[in-house]
Structure formats: structure tokens, C-alpha cells
Amino acid sequence: MASTLLALAHWSTWAVCAVIKLPQLAAVLAAGSARGVSVGSLLLELAGFLVFLRYQIYYDYPLQTYLEYPIIIAQDVILLLFILRYSGNMKRALFYAVTFWGVWYLLTLRKWIIDLAMNLCTFISAASKLAQLRCLWQTKDSGQVSALTWSMSAYTCATRIFTTVMTTNDFAVLIRFITMLILNIWVTATILHYRKTKKTD
């Protein structure tokens, strides 16, 4: 029974992550604008995902516990490129690519670096959610921000709490997923609140 639930959690996480950023991409493309989407939030999210992926690979954790991260990272990069295009900042793309590539390499120069980075990863990822919340609070408008994308992120965090307990039981990873679950739910609720407020105005 436990192995069936674990397999179901893995497969449902992969399925959701295969399309997790598509609602956000569709909203940005349909509007021809990235209004309401925080570039800072996306950059921090990418940094957190890269650190987390590198940590999982470094410690040779089972592939099924992190298989979705390359998929999410690819979708985030595409979303970032569209945001940069619509905001007229495409020149920054090369700078971001070089920075992320350099960090990817530096993370595993020493064991203590990857361990410290993983501990900071929770703060980085939390900061990405808080940056999006700040953007929503300041504008009081959910703009092109997709509630579906954020709710799918909450779901994947919930499934990853379960899969982490069942496989690696890594405390740092558990803390990260619990924190991200809470913040993803908060962002989703805020998006829905401002969407409802805008409709009633």
C-alpha cells in the first residue's frame, strides 16, 4: 500500500510539474504583458530550484525524488525570457544565464558549500514567494499571475512532503517543502482575493 501511494505521489507530481508553468505562460502570452508577475520572485525561485536540484544530485538521492526540477527550471527559464521580452530587458538574459551557470558550478566545489546553500535554499525560495506577495500587495492587482500555477505548486509541495518522508527523510528538505507549501497557499489565496476584488469593482 505504501509503495503504491509513493508511486502515485511521484507520478502525480511529475504530471503536474510537466505543465505547472503553462497557465502562467499562457496568461503572459495572451496579454502580451507580464503585469503583476515579479521578476525578482522568478529569479529567486530559479535560484532555489537550481540549488535544490544540485543538492539532490550531489547526495545521489533517488531520481524520482527530484525528476520534476529540470522540467520546472526549463519552464521558468522560458517564462523569464518572455517577461524580459515584454519588459524590454532582454539584454539581461545573458547576464542571468552566466550567473546561474557559475553558481551551478561553484555549489559543489566543497561539501560545506552545497550544505550551506541547501540550508539557505529554503530562505531563497521563501523570499521568492514573499517577493510575489509584495508585488501583489503593492499593486492590489493579480494582473497576469496565474492562481492555477501557484495552486499546482502547493500540491507538488504537499506530495513532496510525503515522498521525502517515505524515501530520504532529509530534515532540510522537509522544512523546505513545508515552508513552500504554506507560502504557495498564501500566494494563491492572495491572487484569488485580488481577482475577486477586481471583479466586484
Side-chain angles (χ1 to χ4, degrees):
M1 180 69 167
S3 63
T4 304
L5 285 174
L6 185 61
L8 179 63
H10 284 311
W11 280 101
S12 67
T13 300
W14 299 331
V16 168
C17 287
V19 297
I20 198 163
K21 296 294 179 169
L22 294 184
Q24 186 63 71
L25 281 164
V28 168
L29 289 173
S33 164
R35 183 176 53 87
V37 181
S38 169
V39 175
S41 172
L42 188 58
L43 290 170
L44 288 167
E45 180 178 71
L46 263 171
F49 287 164
L50 287 170
V51 168
F52 186 76
L53 177 61
R54 194 67 161 154
Y55 178 85
Q56 296 278 348
I57 293 168
Y58 183 83
Y59 281 105
D60 201 27
Y61 282 160
L63 180 63
Q64 62 267 35
T65 63
Y66 64 88
L67 183 62
E68 69 272 16
Y69 280 87
I71 298 164
I72 298 171
I73 289 168
Q75 291 177 60
D76 265 356
V77 167
I78 293 167
L79 179 59
L80 178 62
L81 290 173
F82 279 113
I83 291 171
L84 292 174
R85 178 174 175 248
Y86 288 130
S87 64
N89 292 320
M90 276 302 284
K91 293 177 185 174
R92 293 184 182 178
L94 180 60
F95 170 75
Y96 293 143
V98 169
T99 301
F100 283 127
W101 186 259
V103 169
W104 178 263
Y105 171 75
L106 291 173
L107 283 171
T108 55
L109 287 178
R110 298 273 188 264
K111 181 184 179 302
W112 69 266
I113 296 173
I114 191 69
D115 290 339
L116 177 62
M118 181 58 199
N119 288 321
L120 294 174
C121 178
T122 299
F123 294 108
I124 294 167
S125 296
S128 80
K129 313 305 181 207
L130 294 171
Q132 184 59 60
L133 281 167
R134 182 174 170 248
C135 185
L136 290 166
W137 293 332
Q138 285 178 336
T139 62
K140 297 189 183 338
D141 180 9
S142 59
Q144 309 315 318
V145 184
S146 171
L148 181 57
T149 291
W150 285 93
S151 61
M152 288 191 297
S153 293
Y155 172 79
T156 60
C157 286
T159 60
R160 282 303 175 208
I161 290 168
F162 174 73
T163 61
T164 301
V165 168
M166 297 297 290
T167 55
T168 64
N169 211 19
D170 186 311
F171 186 71
V173 173
L174 277 173
I175 292 298
R176 180 183 185 278
F177 283 128
I178 292 167
T179 304
M180 294 309 99
L181 173 62
I182 293 165
L183 290 172
N184 283 326
I185 291 170
W186 192 0
V187 172
T188 303
T190 304
I191 293 165
L192 295 173
H193 169 74
Y194 286 126
R195 189 153 297 146
K196 183 180 176 184
T197 303
K198 191 173 181 181
K199 285 181 182 177
T200 58
D201 286 348

